Amino acid sequence: MITLTLAGCQSGRQVKGYVKDRSEQERTIVIDGELIHVPRNIRMTKAGTPIALQDINIGDRVDARVDDKGTNSLPDANAITVLSIGNGKSPRK
């Protein structure tokens, strides 16, 4: 018998990359050129600790789960995890 559980599952597609821009006022984040809306009630973590949008910096490497049927024609983030902390600048290519 196989038992499936939804606990801990996150829906949506994965967007992984570097933060290029962030707007607290608009509640958006740009990950490697993709503009994503960040709803207030999503789970965001850095090193396992809950954080707020203002704690994510340009240059941080993040993993986000997004739903393409989002707010104002933008994809909505379901969860964001900061994987590595940048130096506050866009990474070199």
Side-chain angles (χ1 to χ4, degrees):
M1 178 192 328
I2 297 174
T3 304
L4 299 176
T5 179
L6 295 178
C9 289
Q10 298 170 349
S11 63
R13 67 182 168 88
Q14 181 178 33
V15 177
K16 190 182 267 188
Y18 291 94
V19 175
K20 303 292 186 178
D21 199 7
R22 179 202 69 205
S23 171
E24 291 176 53
Q25 183 177 9
E26 298 293 322
R27 297 217 44 95
T28 58
I29 189 170
V30 177
I31 303 171
D32 285 344
E34 184 168 358
L35 180 62
I36 298 167
H37 177 253
V38 181
R40 294 190 185 279
N41 60 343
I42 69 162
R43 178 182 162 101
M44 292 185 279
T45 59
K46 185 185 286 188
T49 303
I51 59 171
L53 181 57
Q54 64 264 23
D55 298 320
I56 299 173
N57 299 305
I58 293 172
D60 286 353
R61 186 167 176 262
V62 298
D63 181 4
R65 299 301 297 181
V66 300
D67 180 357
D68 287 319
K69 296 176 184 170
T71 305
N72 299 325
S73 75
L74 292 177
D76 275 341
N78 294 327
I80 299 174
T81 302
V82 176
L83 301 173
S84 62
I85 300 169
N87 59 6
K89 298 179 183 176
S90 293
R92 294 183 192 179
K93 294 214 175 205

